[in-house]
Amino acid sequence: MNLTLKVWRQANADAKGNLETYQIKEVSPDMSFLEMMDVLNEELIEKGIDPVAFDHDCREGICGMCSMFINGEAHGPDRLVTTCQLHMRKFKDGDTITIEPFRAKAFPVIKDLTVDRSSFDRIQQAGGFVSVNTSGNTQDANAIPIEKHNADKAFDAAACIGCGACVATCKNASAMLFVSAKVSQYALLPQGRVEATDRVLNMVNQMDEEGFGNCTNTGACEVECPKGISLENIARMNREYLYASLKG
Amino acid sequence: MTLIASSIGRKLAMALSGLFLVVFLTQHFFINLTSVFSESLFNEISHFMGNNPLVQMILQPILILGVLFHFTMGFVLELQNAKSRVVKYKSYKGSANAPWVSRNMILSGIVILSFLGLHLYDFWFPEMNYKYIESLPLDPDRYFGELVHKFESQVRVILYVLSFVFLALHLYHGFASSFQTMGLNNKYSKAIKSFTVAFSFLIPAGFIAIALFHHITTF
Ligand code: HEM
Ligand code: SF4
Ligand code: FES
């Protein structure tokens, strides 16, 4: 396949940035999107042009590091995949592909297609954990019976890889899907219930302070999430938050 | 952070005020509906609503505050959201993952707000003037005539119909959405969505039908 790529180039956080057009030839339909980007970068290096910076790590769809807004969609046109799991067979010979970084005030661009998602880390640090005394007397987790429905839902919520596609996709750049997955993952388990009140208050507070937008229930996040995190989690977080606010 | 300063609290306030307006809209619809069947019943109810102290001094101010709150908060949240993505995408395919109505609530809201302006100018201001400023004598039989008179104008009827189409769009997303906001997303959500589809079609269509009925029958 021969493709035209329009890639966002931005030298650093403060630079203005613009879309650069590159032609790329003989792309195999079996390549992953990131492999195609690797080929592009090799060609750029040979021509003495600065290669395109983009995030990636596992290339197995589990770390959440790869990002990219491809043809107007987070992680491109395919569903339930990250960019590293997106294949070039989803495109046609002669296509023009526009590639931009994930955009949100809370995800500032570092360079080209790489963005700083540490706002997610700060939300997680505000309450996305269970405080455990690890001095040797911890209880065996399997000794606590957990209702199967809740265990399944907690597991589904825990599948969130923190990629930020939900934010990138949302017309309001809202982080509700991510935060609700993290809140739900703990709220549904007895180990997490103990700190549930403070957790939801602190995590939502941090989310608001980071400058993410407000949810308007468009549901775009759920469609674009590579892990199929459900809007049910947002409803659960709304309940948890309301209850915690009235209590605290 | 207090509940009402938080994003979730504000969203909840949006949902509650929206649902309150849905209740108001429903009762307004049934009152209008009587005008098709019985001039005297319509006059009687309108006279009651217009002169009962509980309705005038308690419910009416609550309604006014509810409307003011709903659209003011709508604008506040919209402005905040606009600031949460400073650099916009060059290519953004909103239709790939979310319905048009859900992405354009502020647009349908603004159309409803403009209609509300016209509606107040047509009915409410003259009514307030009649009752409280000029203190004209009570006339329990004037309401039907006033209603029919407004629907004589073709331009008004067209504006009226257009506005209710946008109200339908607003409700089509908003009604079901408010349950998600209040934390309800479970096996009943499908039924709520079905009810939303029916409600957001039937009520606005009913308002439109009543307007057309009076427009056609007065000629
Ligand atoms: C006066 C003009 C109005 C404006 C400017 C306006 C604006 C808005 C906005 C911006 C939203 C938020 C969108 C979202 O969260 O997705 C909203 C939600 C809503 N509106 Fe309105 N609106 C208006 C009138 C009405 C009326 C007359 C009704 C009912 C008859 C109504 C019912 C609702 C409902 C139920 C919601 C859903 C809240 C939620 O999603 O949780 N609105 N409105
Ligand atoms: S909810 Fe989905 S889209 Fe959002 S960060 Fe988690 S895995 Fe990514
Ligand atoms: S590189 Fe790890 S999910 Fe794509």
Side-chain angles (χ1 to χ4, degrees), chain B residues 154-170:
Chain B
Q154 205 156 22
V155 178
R156 276 225 170 29
V157 173
I158 291 171
L159 287 178
Y160 195 91
V161 171
L162 267 179
S163 309
F164 275 93
V165 169
F166 277 89
L167 179 67
L169 297 176
H170 199 76

Side-chain angles (χ1 to χ4, degrees), chain A residues 64 74-75 82 102 107 120 157 159-167 169 175-182 221-222 224-230:
Chain A
H75 295 146
T82 51
F102 280 1
F107 286 172
F120 267 16
C160 167
I161 51 177
C163 63
C166 42
V167 173
T169 291
M176 290 284 275
L177 196 65
F178 164 74
V179 182
S180 71
K182 298 303 172 195
C221 52
E222 184 185 52
E224 295 292 341
C225 171
K227 297 297 154 184
I229 300 295
S230 161

Side-chain angles (χ1 to χ4, degrees), chain A residues 100 103 169 172 208 214 239, chain B residues 7 81 84-85 90 92 183:
Chain A
E100 295 175 78
R103 292 209 183 279
T169 291
N172 311 316
D208 287 350
N214 306 288
R239 287 200 295 279
Chain B
S7 57
N81 288 346
S84 63
R85 179 170 290 129
K90 300 275 181 209
Y92 181 78

Side-chain angles (χ1 to χ4, degrees), chain A residues 87-237:
Chain A
H87 286 87
M88 295 316 293
R89 53 180 162 270
K90 288 283 159 191
F91 301 89
K92 288 194 307 289
D93 185 40
D95 274 1
T96 299
I97 307 177
T98 307
I99 311 168
E100 295 175 78
F102 280 1
R103 292 209 183 279
K105 194 174 119 206
F107 286 172
V109 171
I110 299 169
K111 183 182 178 187
D112 298 336
L113 303 172
T114 58
V115 296
D116 180 356
R117 284 167 280 185
S118 51
S119 47
F120 267 16
D121 299 339
R122 289 187 291 273
I123 294 173
Q124 192 72 353
Q125 284 154 13
F129 50 81
V130 173
S131 312
V132 192
N133 179 353
T134 51
S135 60
N137 52 4
T138 44
Q139 188 183 0
D140 186 330
N142 288 326
I144 306 170
I146 299 170
E147 201 205 327
K148 175 84 169 109
H149 290 285
N150 288 351
D152 286 349
K153 287 192 166 153
F155 190 83
D156 289 345
C160 167
I161 51 177
C163 63
C166 42
V167 173
T169 291
C170 177
K171 83 186 227 317
N172 311 316
S174 162
M176 290 284 275
L177 196 65
F178 164 74
V179 182
S180 71
K182 298 303 172 195
V183 164
S184 292
Q185 167 187 347
Y186 298 106
L188 285 160
L189 299 177
Q191 294 93 333
R193 281 297 344 153
V194 183
E195 295 163 292
T197 303
D198 286 339
R199 175 179 305 112
V200 70
L201 290 176
N202 292 340
M203 288 182 83
V204 170
N205 195 9
Q206 188 64 36
M207 170 180 88
D208 287 350
E209 274 177 18
E210 296 290 348
F212 292 103
N214 306 288
C215 174
T216 59
N217 297 336
T218 70
C221 52
E222 184 185 52
V223 176
E224 295 292 341
C225 171
K227 297 297 154 184
I229 300 295
S230 161
L231 290 182
E232 230 185 289
N233 292 296
I234 296 185
R236 181 177 301 103
M237 178 163 77

Side-chain angles (χ1 to χ4, degrees), chain B residues 17-219:
Chain B
S17 55
L19 281 182
F20 169 71
L21 293 178
V22 166
V23 174
F24 162 73
L25 188 76
T26 312
Q27 67 91 25
H28 199 323
F29 170 72
F30 283 107
I31 294 177
N32 284 16
L33 191 61
T34 62
S35 73
V36 174
F37 301 108
S38 159
E39 179 174 339
S40 60
L41 180 60
F42 178 73
N43 276 333
E44 204 176 311
I45 298 179
S46 304
H47 184 71
F48 170 80
M49 296 301 276
N51 294 283
N52 181 289
L54 179 76
V55 175
Q56 285 295 301
M57 299 305 155
I58 312 242
L59 294 185
Q60 180 165 274
I62 294 179
L63 174 65
I64 294 170
L65 288 180
V67 174
L68 285 176
F69 180 87
H70 185 78
F71 76 74
T72 311
M73 191 54 103
F75 284 122
V76 167
L77 293 178
E78 186 68 20
L79 288 178
Q80 253 181 17
N81 288 346
K83 278 191 245 155
S84 63
R85 179 170 290 129
V86 187
V87 184
K88 308 287 175 223
Y89 289 110
K90 300 275 181 209
S91 152
Y92 181 78
K93 219 185 258 170
S95 59
N97 43 43
W100 187 90
V101 278
S102 73
R103 290 179 284 122
N104 291 281
M105 288 295 274
I106 197 72
L107 177 70
S108 51
I110 288 172
V111 174
I112 302 170
L113 187 60
S114 327
F115 168 75
L116 225 54
L118 179 69
H119 200 59
L120 294 184
Y121 172 79
D122 273 352
F123 291 100
W124 195 69
F125 293 147
E127 187 63 22
M128 290 296 114
N129 183 41
Y130 188 103
K131 281 190 306 219
Y132 300 122
I133 298 175
E134 297 189 14
S135 300
L136 296 172
L138 289 181
D139 174 8
D141 296 327
R142 67 193 157 91
Y143 301 99
F144 186 80
E146 287 170 3
L147 172 86
V148 170
H149 176 66
K150 286 298 175 205
F151 287 131
E152 275 168 18
S153 151
Q154 205 156 22
V155 178
R156 276 225 170 29
V157 173
I158 291 171
L159 287 178
Y160 195 91
V161 171
L162 267 179
S163 309
F164 275 93
V165 169
F166 277 89
L167 179 67
L169 297 176
H170 199 76
L171 291 175
Y172 183 81
H173 174 68
F175 190 74
S177 164
S178 59
F179 288 89
Q180 161 82 5
T181 301
M182 292 186 297
L184 205 120
N185 184 333
N186 54 26
K187 61 180 174 186
Y188 301 114
S189 298
K190 253 194 168 148
I192 292 173
K193 189 65 212 181
S194 306
F195 182 80
T196 299
V197 173
F199 183 89
S200 63
F201 175 75
L202 289 176
I203 297 287
F207 272 106
I208 291 174
I210 295 167
L212 292 178
F213 173 81
H214 290 302
H215 181 67
I216 292 163
T217 51
T218 43
F219 279 102

Side-chain angles (χ1 to χ4, degrees), chain A residues 32-45:
Chain A
S32 79
F33 201 85
L34 296 189
E35 283 165 341
M36 186 275 296
M37 293 300 290
D38 292 337
V39 173
L40 172 72
N41 276 345
E42 275 170 28
E43 289 175 10
L44 292 181
I45 290 166

